[in-house]
């Protein structure tokens, strides 16, 4: 589905990703874990070129981008097209405050996909139903809980019919009692076969739902393996030390 090789990213003289090789197969769920500042968000954003790498390649199906080899950088049109193939959910919900849940979910299909209004509305209602919010379609974000807002954000990302979903600490800003409802939606997406890369501190969830866990430290992949193996019996001392904080 997506493959990156030799991926590098610097911010000024801060090298944040050092030479990342990562392959995510269609239908696979990969959890990305690691300390604060290790480069998880940057790597996730490089996967859909929201952050443009300084070196390496990003390949998704037939589309392939090479960076840092002297080739011209992809134009904004090519970048936008590539980004539209993935849905991204952030820690902050970023819903449009003056639009209802339904209007938030319809927005992308209407403006980007140029879908007719009845179709966009039918799709949005179907997706709100899928995230358990059919009864909140007409509510404004200010009237929704954090967990509900985040589920609208997931429905909104799904409305673009992405080939892959990226989650960056989607539950970190939520009150503890609201985390489960969002993880539940993510779990059912995984069960349906959605390709997903999830940055998370929810280690139990990663162990349960992910196929693979990738441990990143200082911009380097230290360990990459089957979820239960990495979490229960990590091979690297650094992984063990990191995971010990969660017990
Ligand atoms: P956290 O767990 O705190 O979210 P992270 O693993 O997601 O951390 P990143 O956000 O990818 O880490 O940041 C990695 C490094 O890159 C940090 O040193 C950060 O300060 C730096 N960085 C990230 N984005 C930018 C930016 N836009 N400009 C400059 N430096 C940045
Ligand atoms: Mg981050």
């Amino acid at each position: 589905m997506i493959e990156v090789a030799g991926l590098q990213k610097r911010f000024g003289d801060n090298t944040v990703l050092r030479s990342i090789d990562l392959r995510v197969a269609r239908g696979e769920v990969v959890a990305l874990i690691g300390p604060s500042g290790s480069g998880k968000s940057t790597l996730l954003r490089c996967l859909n070129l929201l952050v443009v790498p300084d070196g390496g390649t990003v390949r998704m199906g037939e589309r392939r981008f090479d960076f840092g080899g002297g080739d011209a950088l992809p134009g904004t049109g090519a970048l936008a097209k590539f980004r539209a193939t993935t849905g991204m959910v952030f820690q902050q919900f970023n819903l449009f405050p003056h639009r209802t849940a339904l209007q938030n979910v319809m927005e992308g299909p209407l403006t980007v996909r140029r879908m007719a209004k009845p179709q966009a509305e039918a799709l949005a209602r179907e997706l709100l139903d899928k995230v358990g919010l059919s009864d909140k379609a007409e509510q404004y974000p200010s009237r929704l809980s954090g967990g509900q807002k985040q589920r609208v954000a997931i429905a909104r990302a799904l409305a673009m019919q992405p080939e892959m979903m990226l989650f960056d600490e989607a539950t970190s800003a939520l009150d503890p009692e609201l985390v489960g409802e969002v993880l539940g939606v993510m779990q059912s997406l995984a069960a349906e076969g959605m390709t997903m890369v999830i940055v998370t501190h929810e280690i139990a969830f990663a162990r349960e739902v992910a196929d693979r866990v990738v441990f990143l430290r200082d911009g380097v992949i230290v360990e990459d393996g089957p979820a239960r193996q990495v979490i229960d019996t990590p091979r690297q001392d650094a992984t063990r030390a990191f995971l010990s904080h969660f017990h």
Side-chain angles (χ1 to χ4, degrees):
M1 160 69 44
I2 189 159
E3 189 170 2
V4 302
L7 197 75
Q8 296 186 37
K9 181 65 194 176
R10 288 180 297 275
F11 291 111
D13 52 16
N14 182 10
T15 302
V16 174
L17 298 177
R18 286 171 192 278
S19 182
I20 300 285
D21 298 324
L22 181 68
R23 196 175 164 275
V24 181
R26 186 177 296 277
E28 199 172 25
V29 177
V30 173
L32 192 54
I33 63 171
S36 181
S38 58
K40 303 179 298 296
S41 295
T42 305
L43 174 54
L44 201 68
R45 285 157 195 237
C46 282
L47 291 181
N48 70 349
L49 303 184
L50 198 58
V51 165
V52 179
D54 297 312
T57 60
V58 175
R59 192 182 61 76
M60 192 169 182
E62 329 261 79
R63 291 148 298 188
R64 183 193 158 100
F65 297 92
D66 287 286
F67 299 95
D71 295 358
L73 288 175
T76 47
L79 287 178
K81 213 166 159 195
F82 188 77
R83 284 173 197 148
T85 62
T86 65
M88 194 153 187
V89 178
F90 301 91
Q91 187 171 334
Q92 296 306 332
F93 326 112
N94 304 318
L95 297 178
F96 300 116
H98 303 299
R99 304 221 167 115
T100 64
L102 184 72
Q103 290 166 340
N104 266 280
V105 180
M106 288 171 66
E107 182 70 19
L110 284 177
T111 61
V112 183
R113 293 259 186 264
R114 308 247 172 245
M115 201 181 272
K117 207 166 171 192
Q119 276 80 5
E121 180 170 341
L123 174 64
R125 288 198 187 275
E126 184 190 312
L127 290 170
L128 285 173
D129 188 39
K130 189 186 182 103
V131 300
L133 291 175
S134 28
D135 58 331
K136 301 290 181 192
E138 324 303 335
Q139 291 288 356
Y140 288 89
S142 59
R143 303 283 300 274
L144 299 174
S145 73
Q148 290 167 342
K149 279 189 259 201
Q150 195 59 305
R151 286 186 284 148
V152 174
I154 293 173
R156 188 178 56 176
L158 291 172
M160 295 298 286
Q161 296 165 311
E163 294 172 38
M164 176 172 74
M165 287 285 286
L166 306 175
F167 293 88
D168 194 354
E169 299 198 28
T171 60
S172 295
L174 299 177
D175 292 336
E177 71 273 21
L178 302 178
V179 167
E181 63 192 58
V182 174
L183 293 181
V185 168
M186 291 165 66
Q187 183 160 20
S188 48
L189 275 181
E192 283 171 23
M194 176 62 83
T195 308
M196 298 168 44
V197 183
I198 303 170
V199 173
T200 187
H201 292 298
E202 301 285 342
I203 301 297
F205 175 79
R207 184 184 181 281
E208 191 64 31
V209 173
D211 298 300
R212 267 162 61 211
V213 167
V214 171
F215 173 62
L216 194 68
R217 193 187 60 165
D218 295 337
V220 175
I221 291 180
V222 173
E223 191 154 352
D224 177 349
R228 288 180 184 196
Q229 183 256 298
V230 172
I231 288 168
D232 296 343
T233 54
R235 299 213 162 111
Q236 304 296 328
D237 290 342
T239 317
R240 202 169 302 124
F242 175 73
L243 288 170
S244 71
H245 298 300
F246 294 90
H247 293 148

